[in-house]
Amino acid sequence: MADAIGVEADVPLLKIRTAEEWLTSDQAAAEARGHAWTRMPTAIYHDAVYCARAVPAALVFCPCHGGISHNEAESITPGWAGAGLEVLADAGLATADRKSTRLNSSH
């Protein structure tokens, strides 16, 4: 966007502690549902940046028309939203199940 309006911008990527287990769960959930995925850093101060200070965190992004995000012109299809919800739910349940199994096996 900076290039489009003739402004030079240098936005450093945030160094946050992400949970590899969550990233792996997100990836596996997307693949199992046949959804495209990619790992990408965030340069925006999403809630997960603050949450990651205290608890494991990862983000699931959904595409927006024209790549426009964080703007009133942002637009997403119900299908894209549904895919994001499927990935988030499946990954959350898989991670919770693994943690429950580890807790139960330690007793």
Side-chain angles (χ1 to χ4, degrees):
M1 182 176 193
D3 287 340
I5 60 173
V7 175
E8 188 174 319
D10 181 21
V11 181
L13 296 177
L14 298 175
K15 303 291 185 204
I16 66 168
R17 179 181 59 137
T18 56
E20 183 61 33
E21 181 177 24
W22 276 97
L23 295 172
T24 300
S25 292
D26 290 345
Q27 177 181 335
E31 289 176 350
R33 295 274 188 166
H35 300 311
W37 63 271
T38 188
R39 286 192 182 195
M40 54 190 274
T42 181
I44 306 296
Y45 284 87
H46 292 100
D47 292 344
V49 172
Y50 298 101
C51 292
R53 294 175 180 170
V55 297
L59 296 166
V60 174
F61 288 100
C62 297
C64 297
H65 287 108
I68 298 171
S69 181
H70 300 89
N71 182 295
E72 57 270 356
E74 181 175 350
S75 175
I76 184 171
T77 69
W80 293 340
L85 180 58
E86 288 172 347
V87 169
L88 183 62
D90 291 352
L93 290 170
T95 302
D97 187 50
R98 283 193 303 275
K99 290 194 180 301
S100 175
T101 300
R102 284 195 299 256
L103 287 173
N104 289 332
S105 66
S106 67
H107 287 67

